[in-house]
Amino acid sequence: MQDREALESLVRRLPKAELHVHLEGTLEPELALRIAERNALSAPFPSVDAARAAYHFENLQSFLDVYYTMTDVLRTEQDFYDLTWAYLTNAATQNIRHVELFFDPQAHLSRGIPFGIFIAGILLALEDAETHLGVTSRLIMCFLRDQPVEDAARVLATAHLYRDRIAGVGLDSAEAGYPPQLFKDVFDQAAAYGMHRVAHAGEEGPPAYIAEAIDVLGAERIDHGVRCLEDPALVDRLVRERVPLTVCPLSNVRLRVVPSLADHPLKRMLDAGLLVTVNSDDPAYFGGYLVENYVEAALALRLTRDEIVTLVENSFTASFLSDEAKAAHIEAVRAAAALP
Ligand code: HPA
Ligand code: ZN
């Protein structure tokens, strides 16, 4: 599809799931300024325009530096509620019906914010979104792979108190030089708690990290995973085992994982038969939310209508929803896709 308006109308109309979005990466500069002001903090940037103008990144680390700086304005339960609610209300306007949301406890604990404060704000907003917007969710707690493993183990022990409200664990932050196996014991413990396991792998790190995340950490889903194409045997395996890959096109361009959207591997991944989904990662920083990721990728890669519908169906297939809920959502996708 090459008609932008028709494409956008289709993408908006289809009910969608988002499986790879970092709560802290949804913090828009406007909200950050408001929160800084009410917490009597000096603003992390002089103006909203100045913040946006500074959002040019050389690589993952240069983005993370800004991301953690902005995150510092978040202090109270209300701050976390407002941030979560802002993302979810926006998600509802994009017809996102289900969200699996990452958050980074260590980014807050390290600043002295207690687990009970941020989790309370996040959970209340998730409940309100289900009640008032009909958006369902799962919460996935990420470990910062560039921080000590002992910190991750401590966070997991605390999170166990909220076991029924935290569906799974993930692994994020700087990837290269921090192989998944460092977190084997922590992921084993999460598995023993009955939690789902996912991991960022093959974004900046090598394809070997993808296999390691599956084999050593028991990852059920790989976040990004775009570098799998460098290893054909790995691709065969991911296809055979139907391991979902949560791809984030605009993020990959902004963090220079790929040179441009036209070069993005999404289409090649679909052609290879991989179970890929489209996601926004850190939408406040990368120039678009979920609809924009679909539309820009579809235009640049000349995706067909059927490919777009497949990507949207995959978003439910790859989720942690029950089989019944997945089937109901996929039926709704097909019904919406069949409209003229
Ligand atoms: N990659 C790794 N860690 C992250 C990202 C990402 O894109 N966003 C927030 N934390
Ligand atoms: Zn991510």
Side-chain angles (χ1 to χ4, degrees):
M1 290 183 74
Q2 285 302 288
D3 174 348
R4 177 181 283 274
E5 259 179 49
L7 179 59
E8 183 166 342
S9 145
L10 172 71
V11 169
R12 280 195 182 276
R13 185 167 79 231
L14 299 176
K16 296 169 289 293
E18 171 142 69
L19 306 181
H20 182 163
V21 55
H22 300 262
L23 175 63
E24 296 85 352
T26 70
L27 178 56
E28 292 285 350
E30 288 84 353
L31 182 58
L33 272 188
R34 265 206 312 283
I35 291 178
E37 198 174 327
R38 80 183 179 202
N39 288 343
L41 301 167
S42 56
F45 47 83
S47 70
V48 166
D49 287 346
R52 291 228 166 80
Y55 290 173
H56 292 284
F57 310 111
E58 300 304 315
N59 51 33
L60 175 56
Q61 187 60 57
S62 70
F63 156 69
L64 290 170
D65 293 343
V66 175
Y67 168 93
Y68 293 125
T69 302
M70 294 288 284
T71 294
D72 187 42
V73 301
L74 303 168
R75 303 288 171 103
T76 68
E77 178 180 332
Q78 187 70 45
D79 298 342
F80 286 91
Y81 179 91
D82 291 351
L83 175 62
T84 311
W85 180 250
Y87 166 71
L88 290 162
T89 48
N90 180 262
T93 69
Q94 295 209 334
N95 208 12
I96 297 174
R97 311 308 305 156
H98 178 70
V99 177
E100 302 198 348
L101 184 65
F102 291 136
F103 72 116
D104 286 334
Q106 286 154 280
H108 313 304
L109 293 168
S110 62
R111 302 181 292 113
I113 319 287
F115 202 98
I117 293 288
F118 52 80
I119 197 74
I122 296 169
L123 288 175
L124 193 57
L126 294 179
E127 275 168 34
D128 282 354
E130 184 151 352
T131 307
H132 301 295
L133 307 171
V135 178
T136 59
S137 56
R138 297 283 187 277
L139 197 51
I140 300 178
M141 178 178 94
C142 285
F143 303 119
L144 303 185
R145 67 202 305 159
D146 53 351
Q147 299 299 311
V149 177
E150 299 73 35
D151 290 2
R154 256 197 309 277
V155 174
L156 181 60
T158 307
H160 189 235
L161 303 172
Y162 302 87
R163 168 60 203 100
D164 54 334
R165 310 296 302 277
I166 301 175
V169 296
L171 194 60
D172 68 1
S173 204
E175 183 186 2
Y178 299 99
Q181 58 172 339
L182 294 170
F183 291 84
K184 177 183 172 15
D185 291 348
V186 184
F187 272 64
D188 281 351
Q189 185 61 58
Y193 289 155
M195 300 173 90
H196 286 293
R197 285 153 291 157
V198 301
H200 282 55
E203 180 188 19
E204 281 199 342
Y209 283 14
I210 298 172
E212 198 176 301
I214 298 167
D215 293 331
V216 181
L217 302 185
E220 300 155 70
R221 204 159 72 197
I222 295 296
D223 297 308
H224 294 295
V226 288
R227 289 191 59 193
C228 72
L229 292 182
E230 294 169 30
D231 180 348
L234 174 63
V235 171
D236 285 349
R237 176 194 179 179
L238 297 171
V239 171
R240 208 170 46 244
E241 298 179 9
R242 294 199 29 95
V243 179
L245 305 170
T246 63
V247 171
C248 308
L250 291 175
S251 165
N252 292 156
V253 174
R254 291 297 190 101
L255 299 187
R256 307 192 190 207
V257 170
V258 301
S260 72
L261 270 186
D263 298 304
H264 196 282
L266 177 67
K267 165 88 174 143
R268 277 174 281 146
M269 294 172 88
L270 274 171
D271 290 345
L274 289 161
L275 182 57
V276 280
T277 67
V278 170
N279 307 271
S280 70
D281 209 5
D282 301 284
Y285 295 91
F286 299 151
Y289 283 76
L290 188 57
V291 165
E292 292 77 23
N293 270 274
Y294 274 101
V295 170
E296 297 309 323
L299 286 172
L301 297 169
R302 303 184 160 270
L303 299 185
T304 65
R305 187 186 176 93
D306 283 353
E307 285 171 329
I308 294 161
V309 174
T310 295
L311 286 165
V312 172
E313 288 182 11
N314 287 353
S315 75
F316 290 107
T317 303
S319 75
F320 293 135
L321 286 165
S322 68
D323 288 343
E324 294 73 28
K326 287 183 192 185
H329 280 296
I330 289 169
E331 198 175 315
V333 172
R334 289 180 184 163
L339 296 172

